[in-house]
Amino acid sequence: METLVFFCLAVPVLILAAVVVTTPHILRAVVSLFLALIGIGGLFFLMRAPILGVMQLMIYAGGVVVLFAFAVMLVRRVTGEFVRQKTSLVGPALVVALLFFAVLMGIGSGYLAGLEEEGTLGGFMHPTDLDLAERVVITDVPEEIDPVDEFSPAMLRDYLLPFEIASVLLLVAMVGAVLIAHPLKQKHPTGALSPKEALEQETADTGADASDDEDAGGAGP
Amino acid sequence: MSIEDILPETVPTGYYLVFAALLFAIGLFGLISRRNAIGMLLSIEIMLNAVNVNIAAFSRSGVGEGQVLGQLLVVFMITVAVAEAAVGLAIIVAMFKLRRTVEADELKLLRG
């Protein structure tokens, strides 16, 4: 029954992810990513990790996707044209992705086969398997705990330093994002070229061969 | 009423691992084949999510506090991924302001 629920979530997520990487409409890609992230949030709930599910829905589906949608609209608004995505190198990309998947599956199945030969842990690991507990000699077996109950003590007491570092990272990222995306109006005080002026000079220098490069870039399969 | 009452048995971890591997491969394909910087960032988000699913699936096998620590790791990964997305999108917006393009191939300012 739960396996059925798993497949009902996993198959649409994979299809939506495929849509994200193949559709030419960038807003459609963002919406597909939104739905795929919701599906992954459902998988977190299925894994008995409701905190992760809620965080996935709040932060990813609620925050990151909105950020993406805003970025798409900021980029679109100025040109007034619908942003279409070009793809190139589809063949090599497909080969690399399939190769990666095959290698991963090979490593995984080889690892599991080795375990089966030892006779210690047959098949995939399973939370209810007691094989794992038998293999490792545990002197004092920890009692069953509820991950939800233990989560905030772990985050806010035992691992407070990583938590604070993460908050500083977010602050730095926020300030940096504002600085990077800020309108480039100010003149450079040292008399050096502002990025925009430098760009204008650069395009004036290399304006001749720009068209050639564009032709080469669009010739992908 | 907890989820154990509705769904008594659990999905084998291997299913999650295969799913995550497929998801990561899809993201890798998108990252290589996309020429649009926003599309590349979307692919990176897919790959990060695949890794998160992997860690969460493995954390179920943990004993005692191990389950909590796996989930904690995923939360920190989400934090870093969000920071990465914010900075990446800011770079794309700035790049669009400067160069009027979001195509990664047209950025050749650093080309020698």
Side-chain angles (χ1 to χ4, degrees):
Chain A
M1 178 63 194
E2 190 177 331
T3 313
L4 191 70
V5 178
F6 169 79
F7 279 114
C8 286
L9 284 170
V11 173
V13 166
L14 287 176
I15 293 171
L16 285 166
V19 169
V20 171
V21 297
T22 51
T23 179
H25 299 264
I26 193 154
L27 262 185
R28 192 172 294 168
V30 172
V31 172
S32 300
L33 183 77
F34 174 65
L35 296 174
L37 292 177
I38 289 178
I40 292 172
L43 284 176
F44 281 140
F45 279 110
L46 205 61
M47 284 183 223
R48 316 287 197 274
I51 289 181
L52 292 187
V54 169
M55 290 220 171
Q56 174 87 6
L57 292 185
M58 273 192 344
I59 299 174
Y60 261 117
V64 174
V65 169
V66 171
L67 202 63
F68 270 104
F70 265 103
V72 169
M73 285 165 186
L74 273 179
V75 168
R76 261 179 70 195
R77 208 174 66 85
V78 190
T79 52
E81 68 186 22
F82 200 78
V83 174
R84 297 185 74 85
Q85 302 192 90
K86 276 191 294 187
T87 51
S88 65
L89 295 171
V90 174
L94 204 60
V95 169
V96 168
L98 284 177
L99 212 62
F100 172 82
F101 182 68
V103 167
L104 217 55
M105 288 294 103
I107 291 172
S109 57
Y111 174 68
L112 290 170
L115 284 179
E116 268 175 21
E117 274 175 21
E118 288 174 31
T120 48
L121 183 64
F124 287 118
M125 274 192 286
H126 196 272
T128 55
D129 274 350
L130 288 174
D131 293 350
L132 199 67
E134 285 169 12
R135 252 174 81 221
V136 185
V137 181
I138 301 172
T139 47
D140 53 348
V141 180
E143 71 274 24
E144 278 295 310
I145 57 162
D146 188 0
V148 180
D149 287 344
E150 293 298 316
F151 190 82
S152 26
M155 183 165 77
L156 296 175
R157 195 184 57 214
D158 304 339
Y159 291 83
L160 184 61
L161 185 64
F163 178 77
E164 293 295 339
I165 292 173
S167 67
V168 171
L169 173 76
L170 275 181
L171 180 69
V172 170
M174 196 172 70
V175 173
V178 169
L179 259 180
I180 292 170
H182 198 262
L184 301 155
K185 274 181 198 156
Q186 68 278 19
K187 274 278 183 189
H188 233 270
T190 55
L193 291 174
S194 75
K196 205 160 193 168
E197 290 165 340
L199 175 76
E200 277 159 10
Q201 263 199 1
E202 186 253 356
T203 45
D205 291 343
T206 61
D209 59 333
S211 54
D212 300 343
D213 285 4
E214 270 173 19
D215 289 345
Chain B
M1 190 174 186
S2 67
I3 192 168
E4 275 83 7
D5 301 330
I6 314 165
L7 302 164
E9 92 271 37
T10 55
V11 183
T13 306
Y15 286 15
Y16 287 110
L17 300 189
V18 174
F19 166 75
L22 271 173
L23 205 59
F24 196 94
I26 290 173
L28 188 63
F29 167 78
L31 183 63
I32 298 172
S33 68
R34 281 293 195 218
R35 297 275 58 87
N36 186 314
I38 294 180
M40 293 167 90
L41 264 185
L42 288 173
S43 306
I44 291 174
E45 292 298 324
I46 291 178
M47 292 161 77
L48 284 168
N49 263 280
V51 176
N52 283 348
V53 169
N54 231 338
I55 295 175
F58 272 126
S59 82
R60 297 189 316 159
S61 311
V63 186
E65 210 193 7
Q67 296 190 10
V68 183
L69 297 189
Q71 297 185 14
L72 200 57
L73 180 58
V74 174
V75 169
F76 285 128
M77 282 188 62
I78 290 178
T79 312
V80 176
V82 167
E84 172 259 331
V87 174
L89 286 172
I91 289 174
I92 289 174
V93 169
M95 167 179 138
F96 182 78
K97 279 183 186 166
L98 267 177
R99 317 215 56 162
R100 286 281 172 267
T101 179
V102 288
E103 300 292 315
D105 283 348
E106 292 174 25
L107 294 177
K108 41 188 193 289
L109 202 64
L110 289 181
R111 187 179 287 172

